[in-house]
Amino acid sequence: MATPIVTLTTDFGAGSGYPAQVKAVLLSAIPDLRIVDVSHEVPRYDVLAGALLLEACVPWFPAGTVHVGVVDPGVGTVRRAICVAGEGRTFVGPDNGLFTPFLDGVARAFEIAPGGALPAPRAATFHGRDLFAPAAAFLARGGDPAALGPAIADPARLRQPAPQVGRGEVRGEALTSDPFGNLVTSIRVADIAGAEVTRATAGGQPARWVRTFGEGNPGELLAMIGSGGRVEIAVREGSAAVRLGGTRGIPVRLVLGRARGAC
């Protein structure tokens, strides 16, 4: 049996001791566990940014990986703790929309009910260590998600702004930024439907449509399909977030021509 993998995605901060405490619990349960830090630098309390980071990273992990996500401004309140399982992936974390990208299709959701397969948390303020890490260890050892608690039919979902697809154009907005200041938008590659992008603007400023960063000039505002399958706004060797003065809500417009390959 392959050594299990658990990933961690949090807003704890890489310089804090919180990630180490979560890892300590995991390694105490499974000493040879492989732990991958996706990031501990999700912007504080920004559930949408965490969801988008998971959306970009999770598909690259092998089947059977357990993903722990902790961006949890509601820790210790009535918000549920959940496990989501489907398509060879399992997620553990707060029921606040963090796992929205993975709730469609064959996904099943279960409430993590302390006192059943897991002990009650030691503290009300650190479910990452006291609840989610034990749940992840249980699952990584082959535990049945249904043993964690009752099935739930209404896991929380984020309300993301949908792009407006009209005749000859697509309008969306920035949702978050990456560490380089590239803006990830609500426009997905499917919204372009294979058409040629003839013009792009972001925050009212023209952005040159390119295939990759190197096609732009240093300091130039660019638009492109990012590696996660969403349109991104970037500045070559600079920060689009700084240039446009924010990371969320900045309007983005693409003007479309005919579909590629059409005559």
Side-chain angles (χ1 to χ4, degrees):
M1 181 177 177
T3 303
I5 301 172
V6 171
T7 77
L8 302 177
T9 303
T10 80
D11 62 352
F12 293 162
S16 77
Y18 301 125
Q21 294 180 57
V22 173
K23 293 177 185 181
V25 172
L26 290 167
L27 292 171
S28 294
I30 310 175
D32 63 342
L33 180 68
R34 288 185 288 174
I35 301 174
V36 178
D37 295 298
V38 174
S39 177
H40 297 294
E41 297 294 340
V42 175
R44 300 290 188 267
Y45 318 120
D46 193 335
V47 178
L48 176 57
L52 292 170
L53 182 60
L54 287 169
E55 177 188 82
C57 295
V58 164
W60 298 97
F61 284 90
T65 301
V66 179
H67 303 278
V68 177
V70 192
V71 182
D72 194 13
V75 63
T77 68
V78 295
R79 72 96 182 93
R80 297 175 295 196
I82 63 169
C83 168
V84 175
E87 297 184 343
R89 305 163 181 159
T90 311
F91 302 86
V92 173
D95 184 28
N96 61 7
L98 185 61
F99 305 131
T100 296
F102 310 99
L103 292 177
D104 293 329
V106 298
R108 301 173 298 151
F110 303 90
E111 182 173 4
I112 300 173
L118 303 177
R122 295 182 180 183
T125 59
F126 199 176
H127 283 180
R129 179 193 67 193
D130 296 342
L131 186 59
F132 302 141
F138 171 80
L139 295 165
R141 287 189 298 233
D144 183 354
L148 293 173
I152 57 177
D154 60 342
R157 295 173 181 263
L158 295 175
R159 294 184 178 180
Q160 299 183 46
Q164 300 175 356
V165 182
R167 183 180 295 274
E169 71 171 19
V170 181
R171 293 178 181 265
E173 62 185 79
L175 300 178
T176 189
S177 69
D178 70 10
F180 292 95
N182 303 323
L183 300 179
V184 180
T185 78
S186 59
I187 303 173
R188 300 174 185 268
V189 64
D191 299 317
I192 300 173
E196 178 187 5
V197 178
T198 60
R199 192 164 74 252
T201 61
Q205 299 184 31
R208 184 151 69 96
W209 184 259
V210 294
R211 185 180 59 85
T212 188
F213 303 99
E215 294 181 358
N217 299 312
E220 186 178 16
L221 189 66
L222 307 171
M224 69 191 77
I225 300 295
S227 61
R230 290 177 179 266
V231 170
E232 296 185 10
I233 305 299
V235 171
R236 181 178 172 183
E237 300 173 27
S239 167
V242 172
R243 169 77 66 86
L244 298 175
T247 62
R248 183 165 297 164
I250 295 169
V252 175
R253 177 174 179 254
L254 306 180
V255 178
L256 307 180
R258 67 179 61 184
R260 296 185 183 91
C263 344

